[in-house]
Amino acid sequence: LAALLALGGRGAALALAGALLALPSVWDIGARPLHGLAAAVLPVLAYTLVALPLRKRIRNWDFDTPRQVLAFLAAALAAAALSGVVLQAGGGLLDAPGLLRGMVAWMLGDFVGSLTVAPLLLVAAIPRALAWAHGEADSTRPAPESRPRAGLFGIAAGIAGLGAGLFGLPLVHGGEAAQPYAALALLLPLAWTATRHGLAHTTLVLFALGPTMAALVAASGRQDHAAGYQAVTIALAAMALLLGGAIEARDLSLRRYRDVARLSSDLIWETDAEGRLQTADGALAARLGIRAGESWRALIEAASGDTDRARIIAAMGTHRPFLDVPLRWASASSAEGDVQARISGLPLWCDFDRFIGYRGTATDVTARERAAALLARYNAELEAEVAARTIELRRTNRELTHGERRLRLLAEAAPVALAETDPAGCCLRVNPSWCTLTGRNEAEALGHDLLEAVHPDERAALEHALAASLASGADGCAEFRLVRPDASIRWVRGAWSAPRDEQGNPDGLIVTLVDLTEHRREAERIWMLAHHDALTGLANRALFAERLEQTLALARREGRMPAVLMFDLDDFKPVNDRFGHAAGDALLRQMAERLRAALRESDTAARLGGDEFAVLLPDAPDAEAARGVAAKLLQTLVQPYALGRHQARVSASIGVARYPGDGDEAESLLAAADAALYAAKRAGKNRVHLADGERR
C-alpha cells in the first residue's frame, strides 16, 4: 500500500515483482501452482484498484491533517477487504465452511499490517530513499525546534518494557495472561509520543507495535485472543495517526503564523491578561526596539498623541476592540526619525469567558503619512501656481491677439527657412529665407509639393518620415540634400511638427530648414586633415590602420585574401640633399599621383611617414596577383621625376604580406610586410620580396 500511494504505477510494478519473488517461500507451487500465483498477484491487484485512484487526489502523504489520516484508514480497510474477496473469488483459497471467518482474519491481518508499516514508509523511509536515489538532500520534514527528538532504541525499549509489564508480570505471579484489551493501556504512551515527538516518531512506534502484539499473542499461547489483539492494535494505530495528524496540522499552522509574523513588515503583537507582551514580531518591532516581556501599556503611553493614546488605554481597560488608531513613536534609530503607525487590537477570551489578553497589529504608515503631507503641500503650491498662471495666461492671450502680425514679421525676417504645408505636402506659406535657400521664389513654391526641392536619392525616405509624422502627430527631423534650379546642391537639416485641428485630424506640417552646406564642407575638410597626409593627399597611418581592420573583418566573413604592400624609396635622401626639401616634396607629390593612377579605386595607398608608404589590396587571390601589383608599382615609380629644371630617378623596395598565411591580425600582417621590405633592401633594392620567401 505504501509503495502504491507513494510511487503510483511504479509502486504497483515494484509490489508485484516483490510478491512474485517471495512466491516460493509462501506457497507450495509444485502442488498448487495456480493457487500460489493467485495468492501472489490478486492482493496486489486489489490494493492497486484502491490506491491508484486515491493517489490522483493526494500526491504527498505526510499525514499532516486528520482528513488525510481518515482517507488513509479508509483506503487501508477497503484494500484489505477487497484483497480477501478477490482471493476467495479468484483463487478459491478458503474453504466454504470457514469462508467468513477466514476473510475477516485475512482482512484484519492486512489492515493491521498497513496501519503499522505503511505510515512509517510514507513519512520517512520512501521519501529518504527517493531523495538518496536522486542525489538530493534528505527530504523528510525537519522537527520543530521546540520538539525534542527521541532515539529509536529508547522508543523500542519503552514499548518492550511496557509490554512485559502488562503481559509478563501476571504470568510470573502464577496468574493468567492479561486480556488483549489490557493493551489499551498503551494509549497513554502513544498519545504522549504523538504530542511530544510528532508524527515521524509515532509511525516508528506503530511499526514496533505490530510485532510486539504478535509476540504477546504467541507468549500467551491463546490464539483465540488474536482477533482481540488485532482490534486493539487497529484502535491504537487509528488513534495515534489521527492524533499525530492533528498535532502536525497544529504545528504547521503555528509555524506558518510564526514565519508570517517574522517576515511581516508590520508589528504583530499579543499580550497576556496583565498587559505584558507575549510576542512582538515583524520588521516594525525591530525598528521600534519592542521585545516580548515589555509592558504594552507603557509602550502606548510612550507614544505621542494624547487623544489617541487615551482611546487605546480606555478600550483595553474595558476589554473592547480598537481599530486603526494612529500613534507616533520615536524610532530606535535616531537617524530614521519618528515612526507613524496605526494600531488595531482584539480582546482574547478563553472557553469560560475569562479575559486572557489582547492580540493585534501595528501597521507602519510613516511613508504614507509623509506622502500625504507632501501631497497636501504640493496641492497648495499647485493651486497657487495655477492662480498665477491663470493671470499670466490672460495677459498672454491679450498679447497674442495683438502679436500675430509681429510673428508674421518675425517669420519673414528669420534667417531660418520656414514653410507651412497642407496634409498633402503642398506649400501654403513660405518665408523669404525659404526662397533664398531653395532657389525658388514664392510663386514657384506655393501650391507645389515640398519634396520637389529634395534630392531624388533622398526623396522616398523623407516622404516616408513626413507621412509617419502626419499619422502619429510626432515631431521629426532629418538631414538631406536640396537641388536648386541651377543644379547646385545644398545640405540642410530639416525639422517638422504635425499640428492637429480641433477634431484631432492632421492639419499639415510646419517645416524649418537650416543650411548645413558650409558646416559639412568644414567637417569634411577637418576629416580629410585628420585622416590624410597633408603633403601627398594619401591616407595617413590612422586611416590606413582603420581600413586594414575593416578589410580583415570582411575577409574573415567572406573568405577573401587581402594583401599589404609596404615600400620606401631607394636613394631618396640624396635627392633632398642635392635639390633641397622643396624638390623632395614635389617628388613625393608626383609619386602619390602615380600611385593613384596605378591602383584600383578599391585599393588604399597611404603615406606612413617620410618616404615610407603602404598599399592595401582588399583581395589578392594568390601570391602572383599581389606580386603583379607590386611589379607594376616598381615600373611606375622608377620613371624620372621632373623637379623644375632638373630630373631625378628613384626606385623602391617593396615587401608583400598576404592574409592569412603571413598574418591573421593587422599587427602581424604589417610586421610581416615590414620584414619583407627590409629583406628586399638587403637583396639589392628596386625589387619585390614576398613574406613567404619568393623574390623577383
Side-chain angles (χ1 to χ4, degrees), residues 27-51:
W27 203 271
D28 185 1
I29 298 180
R32 305 175 69 184
L34 293 179
H35 288 193
L37 184 61
V41 174
L42 291 180
V44 176
L45 295 178
Y47 275 82
T48 302
L49 290 175
V50 174

Tab-separated table of all heavy atoms in Angstrom, residues 27-51:
chain	number	residue	atom	x	y	z
A	27	TRP	N	4.191	-20.394	-0.653
A	27	TRP	CA	3.182	-21.302	-1.209
A	27	TRP	C	3.865	-22.498	-1.864
A	27	TRP	O	4.955	-22.376	-2.417
A	27	TRP	CB	2.329	-20.561	-2.257
A	27	TRP	CG	0.977	-21.216	-2.461
A	27	TRP	CD1	0.644	-22.197	-3.313
A	27	TRP	CD2	-0.193	-20.894	-1.736
A	27	TRP	NE1	-0.657	-22.528	-3.182
A	27	TRP	CE2	-1.214	-21.728	-2.204
A	27	TRP	CE3	-0.480	-19.983	-0.714
A	27	TRP	CZ2	-2.496	-21.680	-1.709
A	27	TRP	CZ3	-1.753	-19.933	-0.233
A	27	TRP	CH2	-2.764	-20.783	-0.720
A	28	ASP	N	3.204	-23.597	-1.833
A	28	ASP	CA	3.718	-24.813	-2.463
A	28	ASP	C	3.344	-24.776	-3.933
A	28	ASP	O	2.278	-25.245	-4.336
A	28	ASP	CB	3.122	-26.057	-1.780
A	28	ASP	CG	3.739	-27.349	-2.327
A	28	ASP	OD1	4.628	-27.235	-3.204
A	28	ASP	OD2	3.328	-28.423	-1.879
A	29	ILE	N	4.242	-24.213	-4.741
A	29	ILE	CA	3.915	-24.019	-6.158
A	29	ILE	C	3.816	-25.346	-6.889
A	29	ILE	O	2.994	-25.529	-7.776
A	29	ILE	CB	4.969	-23.116	-6.831
A	29	ILE	CG1	4.950	-21.751	-6.151
A	29	ILE	CG2	4.719	-22.962	-8.317
A	29	ILE	CD1	5.936	-20.779	-6.718
A	30	GLY	N	4.673	-26.269	-6.485
A	30	GLY	CA	4.650	-27.560	-7.179
A	30	GLY	C	3.323	-28.263	-7.042
A	30	GLY	O	2.839	-28.903	-7.967
A	31	ALA	N	2.700	-28.133	-5.873
A	31	ALA	CA	1.437	-28.824	-5.642
A	31	ALA	C	0.261	-28.034	-6.221
A	31	ALA	O	-0.617	-28.593	-6.861
A	31	ALA	CB	1.233	-29.062	-4.147
A	32	ARG	N	0.255	-26.724	-5.977
A	32	ARG	CA	-0.888	-25.903	-6.417
A	32	ARG	C	-0.357	-24.630	-7.083
A	32	ARG	O	-0.403	-23.544	-6.511
A	32	ARG	CB	-1.780	-25.568	-5.236
A	32	ARG	CG	-2.259	-26.802	-4.480
A	32	ARG	CD	-3.047	-26.415	-3.243
A	32	ARG	NE	-4.320	-25.818	-3.622
A	32	ARG	CZ	-5.177	-25.313	-2.725
A	32	ARG	NH1	-4.874	-25.315	-1.449
A	32	ARG	NH2	-6.324	-24.789	-3.127
A	33	PRO	N	0.192	-24.733	-8.268
A	33	PRO	CA	0.836	-23.558	-8.873
A	33	PRO	C	-0.134	-22.414	-9.146
A	33	PRO	O	0.196	-21.262	-8.955
A	33	PRO	CB	1.436	-24.098	-10.178
A	33	PRO	CG	0.654	-25.347	-10.461
A	33	PRO	CD	0.287	-25.934	-9.143
A	34	LEU	N	-1.348	-22.717	-9.608
A	34	LEU	CA	-2.287	-21.642	-9.898
A	34	LEU	C	-2.723	-20.932	-8.638
A	34	LEU	O	-2.873	-19.703	-8.620
A	34	LEU	CB	-3.508	-22.192	-10.639
A	34	LEU	CG	-3.230	-22.718	-12.057
A	34	LEU	CD1	-4.507	-23.250	-12.692
A	34	LEU	CD2	-2.633	-21.618	-12.925
A	35	HIS	N	-2.924	-21.710	-7.566
A	35	HIS	CA	-3.299	-21.083	-6.300
A	35	HIS	C	-2.171	-20.200	-5.788
A	35	HIS	O	-2.403	-19.108	-5.242
A	35	HIS	CB	-3.652	-22.157	-5.269
A	35	HIS	CG	-4.957	-22.828	-5.562
A	35	HIS	ND1	-5.599	-23.632	-4.651
A	35	HIS	CD2	-5.739	-22.817	-6.673
A	35	HIS	CE1	-6.721	-24.089	-5.184
A	35	HIS	NE2	-6.819	-23.611	-6.420
A	36	GLY	N	-0.940	-20.644	-5.941
A	36	GLY	CA	0.200	-19.831	-5.496
A	36	GLY	C	0.306	-18.536	-6.280
A	36	GLY	O	0.557	-17.470	-5.719
A	37	LEU	N	0.109	-18.638	-7.595
A	37	LEU	CA	0.175	-17.426	-8.411
A	37	LEU	C	-0.945	-16.453	-8.046
A	37	LEU	O	-0.741	-15.239	-7.971
A	37	LEU	CB	0.084	-17.807	-9.894
A	37	LEU	CG	0.233	-16.658	-10.907
A	37	LEU	CD1	1.584	-16.005	-10.747
A	37	LEU	CD2	0.032	-17.184	-12.324
A	38	ALA	N	-2.138	-17.002	-7.783
A	38	ALA	CA	-3.252	-16.135	-7.388
A	38	ALA	C	-2.972	-15.466	-6.059
A	38	ALA	O	-3.272	-14.288	-5.858
A	38	ALA	CB	-4.544	-16.954	-7.320
A	39	ALA	N	-2.394	-16.220	-5.115
A	39	ALA	CA	-2.092	-15.632	-3.811
A	39	ALA	C	-1.081	-14.506	-3.928
A	39	ALA	O	-1.074	-13.581	-3.116
A	39	ALA	CB	-1.563	-16.719	-2.864
A	40	ALA	N	-0.194	-14.559	-4.929
A	40	ALA	CA	0.816	-13.516	-5.087
A	40	ALA	C	0.280	-12.293	-5.832
A	40	ALA	O	0.594	-11.161	-5.492
A	40	ALA	CB	2.030	-14.081	-5.831
A	41	VAL	N	-0.552	-12.534	-6.851
A	41	VAL	CA	-0.935	-11.459	-7.755
A	41	VAL	C	-2.207	-10.749	-7.320
A	41	VAL	O	-2.307	-9.520	-7.356
A	41	VAL	CB	-1.091	-12.001	-9.196
A	41	VAL	CG1	-1.633	-10.920	-10.128
A	41	VAL	CG2	0.241	-12.526	-9.699
A	42	LEU	N	-3.218	-11.515	-6.872
A	42	LEU	CA	-4.525	-10.916	-6.613
A	42	LEU	C	-4.503	-9.857	-5.522
A	42	LEU	O	-5.146	-8.810	-5.665
A	42	LEU	CB	-5.540	-12.027	-6.275
A	42	LEU	CG	-5.893	-12.948	-7.453
A	42	LEU	CD1	-6.881	-14.007	-7.024
A	42	LEU	CD2	-6.463	-12.149	-8.615
A	43	PRO	N	-3.774	-10.028	-4.393
A	43	PRO	CA	-3.748	-8.935	-3.403
A	43	PRO	C	-3.154	-7.644	-3.966
A	43	PRO	O	-3.618	-6.551	-3.660
A	43	PRO	CB	-2.897	-9.504	-2.266
A	43	PRO	CG	-3.024	-10.977	-2.394
A	43	PRO	CD	-3.133	-11.252	-3.847
A	44	VAL	N	-2.120	-7.780	-4.811
A	44	VAL	CA	-1.526	-6.577	-5.412
A	44	VAL	C	-2.534	-5.868	-6.294
A	44	VAL	O	-2.662	-4.634	-6.275
A	44	VAL	CB	-0.261	-6.950	-6.206
A	44	VAL	CG1	0.300	-5.724	-6.924
A	44	VAL	CG2	0.784	-7.552	-5.293
A	45	LEU	N	-3.308	-6.645	-7.072
A	45	LEU	CA	-4.326	-6.035	-7.916
A	45	LEU	C	-5.399	-5.352	-7.081
A	45	LEU	O	-5.871	-4.260	-7.416
A	45	LEU	CB	-4.948	-7.095	-8.831
A	45	LEU	CG	-4.003	-7.731	-9.863
A	45	LEU	CD1	-4.730	-8.780	-10.672
A	45	LEU	CD2	-3.422	-6.662	-10.777
A	46	ALA	N	-5.791	-5.999	-5.974
A	46	ALA	CA	-6.815	-5.406	-5.115
A	46	ALA	C	-6.327	-4.088	-4.525
A	46	ALA	O	-7.047	-3.079	-4.522
A	46	ALA	CB	-7.195	-6.392	-4.003
A	47	TYR	N	-5.099	-4.071	-4.021
A	47	TYR	CA	-4.566	-2.834	-3.450
A	47	TYR	C	-4.398	-1.758	-4.519
A	47	TYR	O	-4.597	-0.571	-4.265
A	47	TYR	CB	-3.227	-3.118	-2.761
A	47	TYR	CG	-3.372	-3.595	-1.344
A	47	TYR	CD1	-3.651	-4.932	-1.065
A	47	TYR	CD2	-3.255	-2.717	-0.283
A	47	TYR	CE1	-3.801	-5.383	0.233
A	47	TYR	CE2	-3.396	-3.147	1.020
A	47	TYR	CZ	-3.666	-4.491	1.289
A	47	TYR	OH	-3.814	-4.893	2.578
A	48	THR	N	-4.050	-2.176	-5.737
A	48	THR	CA	-3.883	-1.208	-6.820
A	48	THR	C	-5.198	-0.531	-7.168
A	48	THR	O	-5.260	0.683	-7.388
A	48	THR	CB	-3.302	-1.900	-8.063
A	48	THR	OG1	-2.051	-2.500	-7.718
A	48	THR	CG2	-3.083	-0.898	-9.196
A	49	LEU	N	-6.291	-1.314	-7.216
A	49	LEU	CA	-7.600	-0.753	-7.536
A	49	LEU	C	-8.025	0.308	-6.527
A	49	LEU	O	-8.697	1.280	-6.874
A	49	LEU	CB	-8.647	-1.879	-7.590
A	49	LEU	CG	-8.527	-2.847	-8.772
A	49	LEU	CD1	-9.535	-3.965	-8.640
A	49	LEU	CD2	-8.729	-2.112	-10.088
A	50	VAL	N	-7.602	0.162	-5.276
A	50	VAL	CA	-7.980	1.130	-4.248
A	50	VAL	C	-7.002	2.303	-4.214
A	50	VAL	O	-7.409	3.469	-4.084
A	50	VAL	CB	-8.052	0.446	-2.862
A	50	VAL	CG1	-8.302	1.476	-1.769
A	50	VAL	CG2	-9.144	-0.611	-2.854
A	51	ALA	N	-5.700	2.030	-4.329
A	51	ALA	CA	-4.687	3.050	-4.059
A	51	ALA	C	-4.518	4.042	-5.204
A	51	ALA	O	-4.362	5.244	-4.971
A	51	ALA	CB	-3.345	2.376	-3.746
